[in-house]
Amino acid sequence: MRPSFTTALPLLALLAIVAGPAPAASWKEQQVAAAEKSESILRQAEKVRGLLPQYQIMRAAYVADESKAFRLIFGQYLSWHQSYLGLHDDAMQSFSIQQGSDKQDAPSPLDGDTWHQEPAADTIARLAKDQRAVFFNEAHNAAITRTLTVEMLPRLKALGYTHFAAETLYETDKNLASRGYPNEDSGFYTQEPVYAEMVRTALKLGFTVVAYEAASDAVGDAREREQARNLYNRVFKDNPDARVVVNAGYAHIVESGKYLGGASMAQHFRKIARIDPLTIEQTMLIPHAETAQDHPYYRALLAKGAPNAAVAFVDKDGKPWTLREGQYDLSVALPPYTRENGRQSWLSLGGARLAYTVDGEICRSVMPCLIEARYAGEGDDAIPADRIVIGLRDSSLTGNEQKFRTINQLRTDLYLRPGRYRVRASGADGQIVNTQNINVTSNRERNP
């Protein structure tokens, strides 16, 4: 859904933990004021056409206010837009939840010989075989948490899953299925290309794609219940043999305990649909911008030898390990990544996409420059298959000194599946400065 002040409020307790001790006199009031200000800035930015111009407004607002409460809350808003622009490192810097050890954590799967490591895709496919609902979660600012879900869709379709449901989709986009791709009217987080690729992939595979977000102003438990009822009504009510793949944020899929003063969407769904979903947690054992923010188990895993794909842990009988017993059925550890030409290797989506180098000359000396690649068969309104901004100036980190950030000024990589694309370059004012047609082939030859 499109975030608002009311939907941001449940984050305040979490952000208080992230922030640590602060003057008790008005900390909560500071957070509420920061959430209201953040919402106001976002609305102001959305009045401007184009993601890069919007981001310039948001970045300026972030730099201008150094208060802890504002940066904690607006940092999340900023991180979403950074992810939309391909600035994934910056997104993790702007907002990141440290994953420290917790008393609820199960014993490490690395201790003893009870658990062994296997590809998470194989584990999920085996567990999903006889299920009717599979719930994946994600961290909205970390697009890496969407990659495994995209990779799993073909395998789940082959297992007989019929529907794909995403929290972020707007039910008002009635033409999504016939159009075949998401645009800016399809959802909020779908403006990020990997999320858009998730929806696009589901459509191409023949899934029935549904929105289930609450249409009312409900918050907390009421919102979770409305989500669950929408999910049941739009998937199972008239399709008793349906099987659904769900993508949701954070703890919306938690299966036990209190959530936002009530129950989670998954808990409500189980009661309404009488279906116990397979819940896949993939936001805790992930790489962060700073190693100190990684969960201790994740650091230990990397120390033993970093996996090159998402992994799960199972015992000799195939029972899956979960970091939070009773809350999730399976915990997935996502692989660390390397950087090529400033881009993260996980953008390859497990090798399905190739790195296609684009020279900065496409921008014709216009900086900053937004480079976007759209599938040749899709309209200009399509969310790109990939996008990246280069030549972004930012003086906030070095006083009055301005320096170029993000990636090499002259070239970068786009991550694209083999096929034909329209590449478009535009400036900070949103004006198009250049276009090119390209062909990405599996042998990495480049043809006009």
Side-chain angles (χ1 to χ4, degrees):
M1 69 176 295
R2 182 205 180 283
S4 66
F5 170 58
T6 53
T7 56
L9 284 178
L11 291 171
L12 299 185
L14 171 63
L15 294 176
I17 295 173
V18 174
S26 60
W27 177 237
K28 185 175 181 179
E29 294 175 357
Q30 290 175 42
Q31 292 178 88
V32 171
E36 292 174 332
K37 180 177 179 179
S38 297
E39 173 69 10
S40 175
I41 295 169
L42 181 59
R43 289 185 183 278
Q44 176 189 353
E46 287 180 336
K47 293 178 181 178
V48 178
R49 186 165 183 81
L51 281 176
L52 184 52
Q54 290 174 8
Y55 175 65
Q56 299 282 68
I57 292 171
M58 296 177 69
R59 184 61 188 170
Y62 182 82
V63 171
D65 189 337
E66 297 182 1
S67 65
K68 179 182 288 188
F70 176 74
R71 290 217 163 173
L72 278 171
I73 293 176
F74 191 67
Q76 186 180 33
Y77 284 64
L78 188 69
S79 73
W80 299 330
H81 279 70
Q82 287 168 328
S83 74
Y84 301 164
L85 293 169
L87 305 175
H88 298 291
D89 282 331
D90 289 352
M92 291 293 283
Q93 289 281 357
S94 295
F95 181 82
S96 189
I97 300 173
Q98 181 168 337
Q99 297 296 336
S101 58
D102 190 280
K103 63 181 180 180
Q104 300 181 81
D105 291 349
S108 171
L110 302 174
D111 296 338
D113 57 3
T114 301
W115 308 97
H116 67 271
Q117 188 181 133
E118 71 176 19
D122 293 342
T123 307
I124 295 169
R126 184 176 67 251
L127 295 174
K129 184 177 180 182
D130 298 319
Q131 298 285 335
R132 297 186 63 194
V134 179
F135 288 8
F136 293 89
N137 72 348
E138 68 160 50
H140 297 317
N141 66 308
I144 189 174
T145 60
R146 296 167 180 150
T147 56
L148 178 61
T149 310
V150 179
E151 295 171 40
M152 284 303 305
L153 286 175
R155 296 187 68 167
L156 292 170
K157 182 63 177 176
L159 287 173
Y161 282 79
T162 57
H163 289 66
F164 172 77
E167 174 190 323
T168 190
L169 291 175
Y170 300 148
E171 62 176 306
T172 51
D173 185 5
K174 304 298 185 183
N175 299 318
L176 176 60
S178 59
R179 193 171 57 243
Y181 59 84
N183 60 23
E184 65 179 12
D185 296 323
S186 299
F188 188 80
Y189 300 116
T190 44
Q191 294 183 76
E192 190 278 308
V194 176
Y195 207 142
E197 191 68 9
M198 189 191 305
V199 175
R200 180 184 285 112
T201 299
L203 290 167
K204 287 182 177 179
L205 289 170
F207 281 94
T208 299
V209 175
V210 299
Y212 70 90
E213 179 56 81
S216 70
D217 292 330
V219 296
D221 183 77
R223 176 192 173 202
E224 301 297 303
R225 185 170 55 253
E226 187 175 342
Q227 285 184 330
R229 187 163 296 282
N230 287 342
L231 187 58
Y232 170 74
N233 287 340
R234 296 170 189 177
V235 177
F236 294 102
K237 185 176 181 180
D238 298 322
N239 303 281
D241 296 325
R243 302 172 75 186
V244 67
V245 181
V246 175
N247 190 74
Y250 299 107
H252 288 299
I253 71 167
V254 71
E255 294 198 60
S256 65
K258 285 245 180 191
Y259 181 63
L260 302 181
S264 71
M265 178 275 292
Q267 291 170 291
H268 283 295
F269 172 80
R270 186 171 57 208
K271 291 179 180 179
I272 294 169
R274 297 184 180 180
I275 295 172
D276 184 14
L278 174 66
T279 50
I280 313 298
E281 207 301 310
Q282 52 180 358
T283 68
M284 296 182 183
L285 302 179
I286 65 173
H288 291 74
E290 299 177 13
T291 303
Q293 294 181 315
D294 292 346
H295 193 283
Y297 293 177
Y298 189 75
R299 291 199 297 269
L301 173 65
L302 300 193
K304 286 197 169 189
N308 57 16
V311 297
F313 295 90
V314 297
D315 66 11
K316 60 182 178 58
D317 297 319
K319 176 186 175 183
W321 175 85
T322 176
L323 181 64
R324 301 285 168 83
E325 293 181 358
Q327 296 185 13
Y328 305 100
D329 291 317
L330 171 67
S331 290
V332 168
L334 299 180
Y337 53 88
T338 57
R339 293 176 179 83
E340 302 293 337
N341 261 354
R343 306 300 305 280
Q344 294 83 348
S345 57
W346 56 260
L347 286 161
S348 70
L349 300 182
R353 305 201 300 185
L354 306 174
Y356 184 96
T357 301
V358 179
D359 292 329
E361 293 177 359
I362 190 176
C363 298
R364 294 180 174 171
S365 301
V366 173
M367 295 293 165
C369 176
L370 179 62
I371 304 173
E372 302 174 298
R374 289 177 171 82
Y375 288 95
E378 295 183 353
D380 289 338
D381 64 330
I383 303 299
D386 194 17
R387 64 158 73 92
I388 181 64
V389 61
I390 64 172
L392 188 65
R393 292 180 182 268
D394 190 336
S395 62
S396 63
L397 301 181
T398 54
N400 293 323
E401 178 188 358
Q402 287 194 335
K403 69 175 186 177
F404 288 106
R405 302 179 65 231
T406 70
I407 57 177
N408 185 296
Q409 171 79 27
L410 296 179
R411 59 172 47 194
T412 186
D413 285 339
L414 294 169
Y415 277 87
L416 304 169
R417 297 180 189 271
R420 293 188 175 275
Y421 297 84
R422 298 187 313 281
V423 178
R424 185 174 77 184
S426 56
D429 57 1
Q431 296 298 310
I432 299 172
V433 297
N434 203 354
T435 59
Q436 291 180 1
N437 294 323
I438 65 171
N439 185 39
V440 179
T441 58
S442 57
N443 61 7
R444 303 196 180 202
E445 290 180 358
R446 305 199 326 181
N447 300 309

